[in-house]
């Protein structure tokens, strides 16, 4: 099942999504006619893992981590599917990275790997935008609109072996499988849960395959994960 959120004149509405329609508790809402899609959840925090694909380590000349390497984006980093993303005025090196992300369903902490599937609402897609020429991960990755998320949450998905691709301006830039992760999604969520108390709607993103790269104003980034769909955002001046 897919779950989505839509902005309506009466406020945000969430519920099952099918064929362009969100089925809310009090009626149905057609995307485009009744409103636009919102990020599919409202996290308190976005937990983002880096250096999680061997090919990316080789490309970026990073050392292989012995445990998941993570950073945090705030809620203000969120942007929705098809929302235009302003090119930040403080950088000349904006990069894309197409990532699988989990959405936590309940308040939880200290999960075993076996307990993780029951704590996850489902999976979605994130573009981990990075102002590469800034100093430190927070300055590079935690700015407004740096975490486009969507288009919806897929609740019925095995995240451990699915294909993905990223196109920028119609050109294929990334192509991989989540099977190539160094730490799988269940391991990562368990690891983080021993350090943080997850809140409902929190997001955990699992890192980018090889070939994250520069994106320019006017280009559209399409990130596709098998079984979920495609997150699309245009970078604008």
């Amino acid at each position: 099942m897919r779950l989505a959120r839509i902005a309506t004149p009466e406020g945000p509405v969430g519920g099952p999504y099918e064929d362009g329609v969100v089925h809310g508790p009090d009626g149905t809402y057609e995307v485009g006619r009744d409103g636009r899609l919102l990020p599919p959840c409202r996290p308190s925090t976005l937990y983002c893992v880096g250096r999680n694909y061997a090919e990316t380590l080789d490309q970026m000349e990073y050392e292989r981590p012995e445990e998941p390497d993570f950073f945090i984006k705030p809620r203000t980093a969120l942007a929705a599917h098809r929302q235009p993303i302003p090119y930040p005025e403080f950088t000349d090196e904006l990069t894309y990275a197409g990532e699988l992300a989990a959405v936590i369903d309940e308040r939880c902490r200290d999960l075993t790997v076996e307990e993780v599937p029951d704590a996850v609402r489902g999976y979605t897609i994130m573009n981990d935008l990075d102002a590469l020429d800034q100093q430190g991960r927070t300055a590079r990755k935690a700015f407004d609109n740096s975490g486009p998320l969507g288009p919806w949450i897929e609740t019925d998905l095995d995240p451990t072996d699915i294909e993905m691709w990223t196109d920028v301006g119609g050109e294929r830039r990334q192509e991989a499988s989540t099977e190539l992760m160094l730490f799988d999604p269940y391991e990562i969520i368990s690891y983080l849960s021993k350090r943080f108390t997850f809140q409902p709607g929190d997001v955990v993103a699992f890192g980018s395959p090889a070939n994250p790269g520069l994106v320019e104003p006017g280009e559209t980034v399409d990130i596709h994960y098998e079984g979920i769909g495609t997150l699309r955002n245009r970078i604008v001046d």
Side-chain angles (χ1 to χ4, degrees):
M1 180 171 64
R2 290 174 172 173
L3 303 173
R5 296 173 65 243
I6 185 172
T8 76
E10 292 77 33
V13 174
Y17 173 89
E18 186 177 11
D19 297 330
V21 175
V22 178
H23 298 266
D26 300 315
T28 59
Y29 300 84
E30 182 178 335
V31 177
R33 184 192 69 186
D34 298 318
R36 60 177 177 83
L37 283 178
L38 294 168
C41 56
R42 277 187 56 78
S44 68
T45 308
L46 292 83
Y47 300 92
C48 307
V49 170
R51 300 194 295 165
N52 198 31
Y53 285 82
E55 288 187 0
T56 308
L57 299 184
D58 294 340
Q59 179 187 21
M60 306 300 286
E61 299 183 353
Y62 292 148
E63 293 184 2
R64 183 181 178 123
E66 295 184 2
E67 55 188 20
D69 173 44
F70 66 91
F71 57 94
I72 288 173
K73 290 181 186 267
R75 181 189 292 177
T76 52
L78 285 177
H81 173 59
R82 292 189 176 274
Q83 178 179 334
I85 306 300
Y87 195 103
E89 61 182 16
F90 50 80
T91 183
D92 295 317
E93 295 184 67
L94 184 67
T95 65
Y96 63 85
E99 305 192 4
L100 180 69
V103 179
I104 302 298
D105 193 44
E106 59 191 28
R107 189 178 187 275
C108 54
R109 192 180 190 283
D110 200 21
L111 299 170
T112 66
V113 170
E114 293 73 23
E115 290 171 329
V116 167
D118 290 337
V120 172
R121 185 179 306 168
Y123 295 87
T124 188
I125 303 166
M126 190 181 82
N127 186 356
D128 175 24
L129 293 171
D130 184 338
L132 199 61
D133 53 0
Q134 302 302 293
Q135 294 298 311
R137 268 185 167 167
T138 300
R140 285 173 46 192
K141 291 176 172 287
F143 55 89
D144 288 356
N145 301 310
S146 63
L149 192 75
W152 40 68
I153 298 167
E154 174 56 59
T155 63
D156 184 16
L157 186 75
D158 178 353
T160 59
D161 185 13
I162 57 176
E163 301 297 317
M164 68 81 64
W165 51 255
T166 300
D167 287 352
V168 179
E171 176 186 347
R172 186 63 42 93
R173 299 284 185 86
Q174 293 182 295
E175 195 164 11
S177 167
T178 59
E179 185 182 24
L180 301 174
M181 289 180 179
L182 301 178
F183 304 99
D184 73 38
Y186 304 139
E187 292 177 289
I188 288 169
I189 292 172
S190 174
Y191 173 88
L192 290 174
S193 77
K194 300 181 188 310
R195 290 154 175 78
F196 306 100
T197 299
F198 289 130
Q199 301 298 325
D202 280 355
V203 170
V204 180
F206 303 113
S208 173
N211 299 321
L214 294 173
V215 61
E216 301 294 340
E219 291 185 321
T220 296
V221 182
D222 291 307
I223 303 169
H224 180 85
Y225 273 83
E226 179 185 19
I228 301 176
T230 302
L231 170 67
R232 171 176 289 181
N233 296 94
R234 184 174 178 83
I235 310 299
V236 299
D237 282 321

